[in-house]
Amino acid sequence: MQRAGSMMSRLGSCLQALPSALRRSLSSAQTKIFGHDRVKLMESLVVGDIAELKPNQGTLSLFTNEAGGILDDLIVTNTSEGHLYVVSNAGCWEKDLTLMQDKVRELQNTGSDVGLEVMDNALLALQGPTAAQVLQAGVADDLRKLPFMTSAVMEVFGVSGCRVTRCGYTGEDGVEISVLAAEAVRLATALLENPEVKLAGLAARDSLRLEAGLCLYGNDIDEHTTPVEGSLSWTLGKRRRAAMDFPGASVIVPQLKGNVQRRRVGLMCEGAPVRAHNPILSTEGTVLGAVTSGCPSPCLKKNVAMGYVPYEYSRPGTLLLVEVRRKQQMAMVSKMPFVPTNYYTLK
């Protein structure tokens, strides 16, 4: 399905431009982890298998606490330049940075070779079916050789030293461009010279990520949600599961075997748009849980939502009710993503 419609025009390209470290409250935080023991440090904090990443390959992972709760979601890339490139949520920036800095000091005190550098970079997200075509005009590298969740450092429209990563939290093909904050406006302006490119805000991206079934930290996942409850078990590396050597493993791993009380599910809803905190009920009217994200789907012309229900109600096709403005309306548990994703992989 071609993702068309919505305020950002999915038939073209959109640029989410948040061009300075001064706007961290709206953008992403970027960090370099370097030293011989950089993988050891990162694997002491996240659930993913960082050691298996190939040069310039990245993965979505999760910071977890000892209770199994999710502290934040992040992308970790094993760069060919000899460091890990970490992108985490700006809304969690202070706690994420403290978490990493404390672990750096802990490892350094035991003789480990590891360090951390905060990057003063902006992150521009160029997303949509024509994103690669737009970007190709301004780079020498062949973007056909850059598949989903890989990155490369290149000059972009005359701005040198940009890290271009084939990713973006929209479900569409596209890239995120890490650029020095001082050069961000110049690069954004160059991209916007192409009539295919339009500026898009966080509200527009929110509809895209929800259609793609992607979580928003603080809404759909938080410190009181485990990866299994959040339907994010795929982020747990096979080796890490076996070793049980990540924070909260003693809670999380048993849940993989079915010992979990609730799950995040997708909902296709009738009636008025469903929003966060609306109750989810059984067809008998018993409150089961609550919606965590919801909006009208521009592609499907239906209302979609995500929320948590007891495990026995999580099977796709299960009929439920949602309560909106004290009125009950039908909802059905749906597989996610609601709209097929268009990530670029090598053929």
Side-chain angles (χ1 to χ4, degrees), residues 17-94:
L18 300 167
S20 87
L22 297 177
R23 298 185 66 182
R24 278 203 182 104
S25 62
L26 294 177
S27 57
S28 298
Q30 301 173 65
T31 312
K32 291 181 181 179
I33 306 293
F34 53 88
H36 179 76
D37 296 309
R38 59 189 181 275
V39 171
K40 176 182 177 181
L41 175 132
M42 191 54 56
E43 288 198 347
S44 72
L45 299 174
V46 304
V47 302
D49 191 340
I50 308 304
E52 76 172 0
L53 294 175
K54 299 175 182 178
N56 292 323
Q57 181 185 16
T59 185
L60 179 71
S61 197
L62 306 169
F63 287 128
T64 49
N65 59 28
E66 293 300 334
I70 300 170
L71 296 171
D72 197 9
D73 56 320
L74 67 155
I75 292 177
V76 183
T77 299
N78 176 30
T79 74
S80 59
E81 293 79 34
H83 65 268
L84 299 178
Y85 168 56
V86 179
V87 180
S88 56
N89 285 305
C92 300
W93 173 235
E94 291 185 1

Side-chain angles (χ1 to χ4, degrees), residues 197-220:
V197 181
K198 308 295 182 185
L199 283 173
L202 291 173
R205 188 189 69 166
D206 197 48
S207 69
L208 286 169
R209 68 93 191 167
L210 184 49
E211 288 182 332
L214 301 173
C215 295
L216 178 64
Y217 190 83
N219 283 46
D220 308 299

